Each structure stands twice: as C-alpha cells, then as structure tokens.
Amino acid sequence: MLQKTTQWMTDRLVERALPSIGSFMASALQRMLILGHADHHNQLEEQARRYEAAGKPHLAKLIRSEAEQLTLDDPFSSAGAICERLSEDANNNSGIPLALPEASPAARKRKKKSSEQNDVVSEQDEERGQ
C-alpha cells in the first residue's frame, strides 16, 4: 500500500515538474540562440565598419547584405550552397590541397634528430641545476 502511494505521488510530481523543466530548458536555449545571433550580427557590423574605414565600402556592403540574410528561423540557410561550392572546388582540383602534404622521410629524420638533441640539452641543463 505504501509503495503504491509513493509511486502515485512520484508520478504526479514528475507529471508536473517535467513540463516546467522542459519549458525552462527550451527558453534558456532560445535565449542563448538569440544572444549568439545578436552577437554575431554585432561582430559583422564591426567588421563592416573596419572595411569602410580602410576604404573598402564594397566589402562592407557585401558583409551587411549577407548579415541581413541570416535569420533565427533558418540558421543554416546558406549551408547547402556552401557545401555545393566546396564539392565543386574539390572536383575542379584548383591546385589548393584539401589536406597538408605528408612530410618527407628526410624531414621526419631531421625533426626526430632535432628533438633528440633538445632532449639531451635539457637533460644537461637539469644536471647543472642540481
């Protein structure tokens, strides 16, 4: 009997507390998104002012027009175009590597040798200090 009563009370508490907690979490997330969005727009506007001060009003205008297109309703509106452009660039092989080239064996040996020399020097310094 006591177990059923405790279970009933626990269920009622969860029924009432869960929507409150969920609502709080949703409003906190929305607040974070709004503040982040406003901060991002502020940074873009500062960058546009820097370009205007540097005598590049066309870049400032471009930044402002792109900033106007950013909305909270669709934060990834330009993601498709960016991915498409990246895939086109990768297919064009424009000469820009997508990754750093592997180090040559000679460079690896030099790096290993120089790190070993640094270890010897640091050990000698430690011995002198003691």
Side-chain angles (χ1 to χ4, degrees), residues 15-125:
E15 283 176 5
R16 293 170 193 240
L18 196 58
S20 298
I21 293 170
S23 174
F24 174 75
M25 299 274 294
S27 65
L29 179 61
Q30 187 176 19
R31 183 176 60 244
M32 286 175 30
L33 283 172
I34 290 169
L35 290 174
H37 186 74
D39 188 41
H40 184 68
H41 273 278
N42 188 35
Q43 290 174 355
L44 289 172
E45 182 59 32
E46 287 176 10
Q47 188 68 39
R49 285 188 201 128
R50 282 191 221 123
Y51 280 123
E52 282 179 341
K56 299 177 181 178
H58 59 285
L59 292 177
K61 184 179 178 183
L62 180 67
I63 289 173
R64 286 189 178 110
S65 67
E66 290 290 327
E68 288 175 4
Q69 294 175 5
L70 295 175
T71 65
L72 282 176
D73 295 335
D74 191 12
F76 300 111
S77 61
S78 60
I82 291 170
C83 290
E84 194 173 300
R85 202 164 125 203
L86 287 173
S87 63
E88 286 175 6
D89 288 346
N91 291 338
N92 290 341
N93 293 329
S94 60
I96 300 172
L98 295 178
L100 293 174
E102 290 291 324
S104 65
R108 285 189 210 134
K109 287 179 184 177
R110 283 193 303 261
K111 185 176 179 181
K112 186 175 180 181
K113 189 182 259 186
S114 66
S115 65
E116 289 174 358
Q117 289 173 350
N118 290 340
D119 290 342
V120 170
V121 170
S122 63
E123 286 175 7
Q124 291 173 351
D125 290 342

